[in-house]
Amino acid sequence: QCQLSGLWRNDQGSLMEISAVRGNGDFHGKYLTRITLAGGCARVSPLKGIQQQPTEGGWPTFAFTVRWDKFSNATTAFAGQCFVDTGGKETLTTMWLLREAVGSLQEDWKATR
């Protein structure tokens, strides 16, 4: 069984700490990114998410958002799945979309990465 709660580090050196996952799948935590849109020092940003409760023997899927409002006017949505290999190592695989605020509808095309 894969445990989503705990401290995670990605291949870019960013850190994510997830609190205990509640019975309904809700969780919250903190994200410290090593990569910023504006460059410079990143700060801890809040995250909120939900885990889909896995079926017997299944690997849980999850989604969460990170609000970068302390140093950027952007939000990122992540979706992923948790796996455990034969050696017991837990791995999260995710994909993400970052939405940065823009000043007008005409600039909307450049707001999502």
Side-chain angles (χ1 to χ4, degrees), residues 1 8-9 14 22-23 31 34-36 38 50 53-54 57 59 66 68 71 80 96 100-105 108:
Q1 183 69 19
W8 298 90
R9 179 185 310 273
S14 298
R22 297 195 301 192
Y31 199 102
R34 302 264 310 177
I35 300 169
T36 65
I50 191 158
Q53 303 301 2
W59 305 113
V66 177
W68 309 110
F71 61 92
W96 55 268
E100 185 176 15
V102 292
S104 70
L105 183 57
D108 185 59

mmCIF file of all heavy atoms in Angstrom, residues 1 8-9 14 22-23 31 34-36 38 50 53-54 57 59 66 68 71 80 96 100-105 108:
data_model
loop_
_atom_site.group_PDB
_atom_site.id
_atom_site.type_symbol
_atom_site.label_atom_id
_atom_site.label_comp_id
_atom_site.label_asym_id
_atom_site.label_seq_id
_atom_site.Cartn_x
_atom_site.Cartn_y
_atom_site.Cartn_z
ATOM 1 N N GLN A 1 0.844 -1.195 0.000
ATOM 2 C CA GLN A 1 0.000 0.000 0.000
ATOM 3 C C GLN A 1 0.879 1.245 0.000
ATOM 4 O O GLN A 1 1.831 1.346 0.747
ATOM 5 C CB GLN A 1 -0.907 -0.018 1.227
ATOM 6 C CG GLN A 1 -1.873 1.128 1.311
ATOM 7 C CD GLN A 1 -2.964 1.054 0.239
ATOM 8 O OE1 GLN A 1 -3.220 0.022 -0.346
ATOM 9 N NE2 GLN A 1 -3.592 2.162 -0.018
ATOM 10 N N TRP A 8 8.208 14.352 0.417
ATOM 11 C CA TRP A 8 8.560 13.908 -0.934
ATOM 12 C C TRP A 8 9.527 14.895 -1.566
ATOM 13 O O TRP A 8 9.426 16.089 -1.353
ATOM 14 C CB TRP A 8 7.304 13.806 -1.800
ATOM 15 C CG TRP A 8 6.304 12.820 -1.317
ATOM 16 C CD1 TRP A 8 5.274 13.049 -0.449
ATOM 17 C CD2 TRP A 8 6.241 11.442 -1.668
ATOM 18 N NE1 TRP A 8 4.568 11.899 -0.240
ATOM 19 C CE2 TRP A 8 5.143 10.890 -0.970
ATOM 20 C CE3 TRP A 8 6.993 10.621 -2.487
ATOM 21 C CZ2 TRP A 8 4.786 9.553 -1.083
ATOM 22 C CZ3 TRP A 8 6.634 9.282 -2.605
ATOM 23 C CH2 TRP A 8 5.549 8.764 -1.910
ATOM 24 N N ARG A 9 10.457 14.392 -2.384
ATOM 25 C CA ARG A 9 11.389 15.227 -3.145
ATOM 26 C C ARG A 9 11.291 14.818 -4.609
ATOM 27 O O ARG A 9 11.313 13.625 -4.926
ATOM 28 C CB ARG A 9 12.818 15.017 -2.655
ATOM 29 C CG ARG A 9 13.858 15.836 -3.420
ATOM 30 C CD ARG A 9 15.286 15.520 -2.989
ATOM 31 N NE ARG A 9 15.481 15.566 -1.560
ATOM 32 C CZ ARG A 9 15.788 16.660 -0.867
ATOM 33 N NH1 ARG A 9 15.923 17.807 -1.482
ATOM 34 N NH2 ARG A 9 15.963 16.597 0.438
ATOM 35 N N SER A 14 12.652 19.954 -5.605
ATOM 36 C CA SER A 14 11.572 20.573 -4.840
ATOM 37 C C SER A 14 11.095 19.615 -3.755
ATOM 38 O O SER A 14 11.182 18.398 -3.907
ATOM 39 C CB SER A 14 10.400 20.936 -5.761
ATOM 40 O OG SER A 14 10.805 21.876 -6.720
ATOM 41 N N ARG A 22 -6.953 12.129 5.403
ATOM 42 C CA ARG A 22 -8.136 11.822 6.217
ATOM 43 C C ARG A 22 -8.942 10.696 5.575
ATOM 44 O O ARG A 22 -8.710 10.327 4.418
ATOM 45 C CB ARG A 22 -8.986 13.075 6.383
ATOM 46 C CG ARG A 22 -8.216 14.152 7.147
ATOM 47 C CD ARG A 22 -9.069 15.259 7.646
ATOM 48 N NE ARG A 22 -9.775 15.959 6.577
ATOM 49 C CZ ARG A 22 -10.406 17.097 6.748
ATOM 50 N NH1 ARG A 22 -10.435 17.675 7.927
ATOM 51 N NH2 ARG A 22 -11.028 17.671 5.744
ATOM 52 N N GLY A 23 -9.896 10.180 6.328
ATOM 53 C CA GLY A 23 -10.715 9.056 5.871
ATOM 54 C C GLY A 23 -11.453 9.320 4.579
ATOM 55 O O GLY A 23 -11.685 8.409 3.788
ATOM 56 N N TYR A 31 4.481 23.038 -0.007
ATOM 57 C CA TYR A 31 5.322 22.764 -1.175
ATOM 58 C C TYR A 31 6.413 23.823 -1.237
ATOM 59 O O TYR A 31 6.137 25.016 -1.137
ATOM 60 C CB TYR A 31 4.475 22.821 -2.446
ATOM 61 C CG TYR A 31 5.095 22.127 -3.634
ATOM 62 C CD1 TYR A 31 4.668 20.866 -4.024
ATOM 63 C CD2 TYR A 31 6.103 22.731 -4.369
ATOM 64 C CE1 TYR A 31 5.224 20.219 -5.110
ATOM 65 C CE2 TYR A 31 6.667 22.094 -5.465
ATOM 66 C CZ TYR A 31 6.226 20.838 -5.833
ATOM 67 O OH TYR A 31 6.781 20.209 -6.901
ATOM 68 N N ARG A 34 11.897 24.553 -6.125
ATOM 69 C CA ARG A 34 13.233 25.048 -6.454
ATOM 70 C C ARG A 34 13.190 25.851 -7.753
ATOM 71 O O ARG A 34 14.171 26.464 -8.128
ATOM 72 C CB ARG A 34 14.190 23.867 -6.623
ATOM 73 C CG ARG A 34 14.302 22.972 -5.437
ATOM 74 C CD ARG A 34 15.437 23.268 -4.571
ATOM 75 N NE ARG A 34 16.662 23.359 -5.358
ATOM 76 C CZ ARG A 34 17.818 23.673 -4.836
ATOM 77 N NH1 ARG A 34 17.909 23.902 -3.567
ATOM 78 N NH2 ARG A 34 18.890 23.746 -5.575
ATOM 79 N N ILE A 35 12.034 25.818 -8.431
ATOM 80 C CA ILE A 35 11.894 26.493 -9.727
ATOM 81 C C ILE A 35 10.816 27.558 -9.596
ATOM 82 O O ILE A 35 9.707 27.268 -9.160
ATOM 83 C CB ILE A 35 11.515 25.483 -10.826
ATOM 84 C CG1 ILE A 35 12.592 24.419 -10.936
ATOM 85 C CG2 ILE A 35 11.282 26.188 -12.152
ATOM 86 C CD1 ILE A 35 12.224 23.248 -11.789
ATOM 87 N N THR A 36 11.136 28.797 -9.955
ATOM 88 C CA THR A 36 10.152 29.878 -9.895
ATOM 89 C C THR A 36 10.061 30.575 -11.238
ATOM 90 O O THR A 36 11.002 30.558 -12.022
ATOM 91 C CB THR A 36 10.510 30.923 -8.813
ATOM 92 O OG1 THR A 36 11.732 31.563 -9.177
ATOM 93 C CG2 THR A 36 10.648 30.279 -7.442
ATOM 94 N N ALA A 38 9.744 33.854 -11.633
ATOM 95 C CA ALA A 38 10.485 35.107 -11.576
ATOM 96 C C ALA A 38 11.952 34.916 -11.211
ATOM 97 O O ALA A 38 12.712 35.868 -11.205
ATOM 98 C CB ALA A 38 9.825 36.041 -10.556
ATOM 99 N N ILE A 50 -6.872 15.870 -2.690
ATOM 100 C CA ILE A 50 -7.724 14.729 -2.365
ATOM 101 C C ILE A 50 -7.148 13.478 -3.021
ATOM 102 O O ILE A 50 -6.618 13.534 -4.135
ATOM 103 C CB ILE A 50 -9.190 14.962 -2.802
ATOM 104 C CG1 ILE A 50 -10.084 13.897 -2.215
ATOM 105 C CG2 ILE A 50 -9.317 15.066 -4.303
ATOM 106 C CD1 ILE A 50 -11.531 14.286 -2.135
ATOM 107 N N GLN A 53 -9.606 6.865 -2.944
ATOM 108 C CA GLN A 53 -9.320 5.668 -2.161
ATOM 109 C C GLN A 53 -9.169 4.476 -3.104
ATOM 110 O O GLN A 53 -10.050 4.200 -3.906
ATOM 111 C CB GLN A 53 -10.423 5.424 -1.131
ATOM 112 C CG GLN A 53 -10.651 6.581 -0.196
ATOM 113 C CD GLN A 53 -9.412 6.980 0.619
ATOM 114 O OE1 GLN A 53 -8.328 6.443 0.494
ATOM 115 N NE2 GLN A 53 -9.577 7.968 1.470
ATOM 116 N N PRO A 54 -8.032 3.785 -3.018
ATOM 117 C CA PRO A 54 -7.802 2.671 -3.955
ATOM 118 C C PRO A 54 -8.668 1.456 -3.626
ATOM 119 O O PRO A 54 -9.061 1.261 -2.484
ATOM 120 C CB PRO A 54 -6.323 2.346 -3.742
ATOM 121 C CG PRO A 54 -6.050 2.767 -2.332
ATOM 122 C CD PRO A 54 -6.944 3.960 -2.077
ATOM 123 N N GLY A 57 -5.715 -3.753 -3.268
ATOM 124 C CA GLY A 57 -4.510 -4.017 -4.049
ATOM 125 C C GLY A 57 -4.204 -2.970 -5.100
ATOM 126 O O GLY A 57 -3.227 -3.093 -5.828
ATOM 127 N N TRP A 59 -3.421 1.026 -6.684
ATOM 128 C CA TRP A 59 -2.539 2.150 -6.397
ATOM 129 C C TRP A 59 -3.375 3.423 -6.418
ATOM 130 O O TRP A 59 -4.089 3.669 -7.386
ATOM 131 C CB TRP A 59 -1.411 2.235 -7.414
ATOM 132 C CG TRP A 59 -0.629 0.965 -7.535
ATOM 133 C CD1 TRP A 59 -0.588 0.142 -8.612
ATOM 134 C CD2 TRP A 59 0.208 0.380 -6.545
ATOM 135 N NE1 TRP A 59 0.229 -0.929 -8.361
ATOM 136 C CE2 TRP A 59 0.743 -0.810 -7.082
ATOM 137 C CE3 TRP A 59 0.570 0.737 -5.241
ATOM 138 C CZ2 TRP A 59 1.609 -1.630 -6.384
ATOM 139 C CZ3 TRP A 59 1.432 -0.095 -4.544
ATOM 140 C CH2 TRP A 59 1.941 -1.254 -5.113
ATOM 141 N N VAL A 66 -1.469 23.926 -5.706
ATOM 142 C CA VAL A 66 -0.525 24.730 -4.937
ATOM 143 C C VAL A 66 -0.750 26.182 -5.308
ATOM 144 O O VAL A 66 -0.785 26.528 -6.494
ATOM 145 C CB VAL A 66 0.944 24.332 -5.219
ATOM 146 C CG1 VAL A 66 1.903 25.228 -4.457
ATOM 147 C CG2 VAL A 66 1.180 22.872 -4.877
ATOM 148 N N TRP A 68 0.798 29.746 -5.290
ATOM 149 C CA TRP A 68 2.119 30.366 -5.219
ATOM 150 C C TRP A 68 2.023 31.849 -4.845
ATOM 151 O O TRP A 68 2.873 32.641 -5.195
ATOM 152 C CB TRP A 68 2.835 30.251 -6.556
ATOM 153 C CG TRP A 68 2.873 28.874 -7.129
ATOM 154 C CD1 TRP A 68 2.194 28.439 -8.232
ATOM 155 C CD2 TRP A 68 3.619 27.750 -6.658
ATOM 156 N NE1 TRP A 68 2.473 27.125 -8.462
ATOM 157 C CE2 TRP A 68 3.346 26.674 -7.512
ATOM 158 C CE3 TRP A 68 4.486 27.559 -5.589
ATOM 159 C CZ2 TRP A 68 3.909 25.421 -7.338
ATOM 160 C CZ3 TRP A 68 5.055 26.310 -5.413
ATOM 161 C CH2 TRP A 68 4.765 25.259 -6.283
ATOM 162 N N PHE A 71 4.957 34.597 -3.761
ATOM 163 C CA PHE A 71 5.996 35.118 -4.642
ATOM 164 C C PHE A 71 5.592 35.128 -6.111
ATOM 165 O O PHE A 71 6.358 35.543 -6.961
ATOM 166 C CB PHE A 71 7.302 34.321 -4.480
ATOM 167 C CG PHE A 71 7.164 32.860 -4.817
ATOM 168 C CD1 PHE A 71 7.426 32.400 -6.095
ATOM 169 C CD2 PHE A 71 6.795 31.956 -3.842
ATOM 170 C CE1 PHE A 71 7.299 31.056 -6.401
ATOM 171 C CE2 PHE A 71 6.676 30.606 -4.135
ATOM 172 C CZ PHE A 71 6.931 30.156 -5.410
ATOM 173 N N GLY A 80 -1.945 12.776 -10.214
ATOM 174 C CA GLY A 80 -0.971 11.708 -10.284
ATOM 175 C C GLY A 80 -1.430 10.423 -9.654
ATOM 176 O O GLY A 80 -2.593 10.253 -9.279
ATOM 177 N N TRP A 96 1.238 18.244 -14.446
ATOM 178 C CA TRP A 96 0.775 19.493 -13.858
ATOM 179 C C TRP A 96 0.456 20.525 -14.920
ATOM 180 O O TRP A 96 0.944 20.456 -16.051
ATOM 181 C CB TRP A 96 1.811 20.054 -12.884
ATOM 182 C CG TRP A 96 3.186 20.255 -13.467
ATOM 183 C CD1 TRP A 96 4.214 19.360 -13.456
ATOM 184 C CD2 TRP A 96 3.670 21.414 -14.160
ATOM 185 N NE1 TRP A 96 5.300 19.891 -14.099
ATOM 186 C CE2 TRP A 96 4.996 21.148 -14.532
ATOM 187 C CE3 TRP A 96 3.119 22.639 -14.488
ATOM 188 C CZ2 TRP A 96 5.777 22.073 -15.220
ATOM 189 C CZ3 TRP A 96 3.899 23.559 -15.175
ATOM 190 C CH2 TRP A 96 5.212 23.268 -15.531
ATOM 191 N N GLU A 100 -0.906 31.207 -14.713
ATOM 192 C CA GLU A 100 -0.432 32.505 -14.257
ATOM 193 C C GLU A 100 -1.468 33.554 -14.626
ATOM 194 O O GLU A 100 -2.059 33.494 -15.701
ATOM 195 C CB GLU A 100 0.898 32.824 -14.940
ATOM 196 C CG GLU A 100 1.551 34.082 -14.460
ATOM 197 C CD GLU A 100 2.912 34.292 -15.111
ATOM 198 O OE1 GLU A 100 3.232 33.631 -16.119
ATOM 199 O OE2 GLU A 100 3.648 35.131 -14.596
ATOM 200 N N ALA A 101 -1.710 34.503 -13.728
ATOM 201 C CA ALA A 101 -2.668 35.567 -14.020
ATOM 202 C C ALA A 101 -2.129 36.456 -15.140
ATOM 203 O O ALA A 101 -0.942 36.747 -15.204
ATOM 204 C CB ALA A 101 -2.917 36.408 -12.771
ATOM 205 N N VAL A 102 -3.029 36.856 -16.035
ATOM 206 C CA VAL A 102 -2.688 37.804 -17.102
ATOM 207 C C VAL A 102 -3.647 38.980 -17.007
ATOM 208 O O VAL A 102 -4.680 38.907 -16.342
ATOM 209 C CB VAL A 102 -2.756 37.144 -18.501
ATOM 210 C CG1 VAL A 102 -1.651 36.120 -18.655
ATOM 211 C CG2 VAL A 102 -4.100 36.529 -18.776
ATOM 212 N N GLY A 103 -3.316 40.065 -17.695
ATOM 213 C CA GLY A 103 -4.073 41.296 -17.562
ATOM 214 C C GLY A 103 -5.311 41.437 -18.418
ATOM 215 O O GLY A 103 -6.105 42.358 -18.211
ATOM 216 N N SER A 104 -5.491 40.522 -19.386
ATOM 217 C CA SER A 104 -6.646 40.671 -20.272
ATOM 218 C C SER A 104 -6.989 39.344 -20.936
ATOM 219 O O SER A 104 -6.167 38.421 -20.972
ATOM 220 C CB SER A 104 -6.355 41.709 -21.359
ATOM 221 O OG SER A 104 -5.393 41.208 -22.265
ATOM 222 N N LEU A 105 -8.186 39.272 -21.476
ATOM 223 C CA LEU A 105 -8.622 38.089 -22.205
ATOM 224 C C LEU A 105 -7.744 37.847 -23.434
ATOM 225 O O LEU A 105 -7.465 36.707 -23.802
ATOM 226 C CB LEU A 105 -10.086 38.243 -22.612
ATOM 227 C CG LEU A 105 -10.729 37.067 -23.317
ATOM 228 C CD1 LEU A 105 -10.642 35.804 -22.463
ATOM 229 C CD2 LEU A 105 -12.180 37.384 -23.650
ATOM 230 N N ASP A 108 -4.835 35.639 -22.669
ATOM 231 C CA ASP A 108 -5.159 34.329 -22.113
ATOM 232 C C ASP A 108 -4.312 33.201 -22.713
ATOM 233 O O ASP A 108 -3.958 32.263 -22.028
ATOM 234 C CB ASP A 108 -6.650 34.038 -22.301
ATOM 235 C CG ASP A 108 -7.068 32.754 -21.633
ATOM 236 O OD1 ASP A 108 -6.898 32.654 -20.409
ATOM 237 O OD2 ASP A 108 -7.545 31.850 -22.341
#
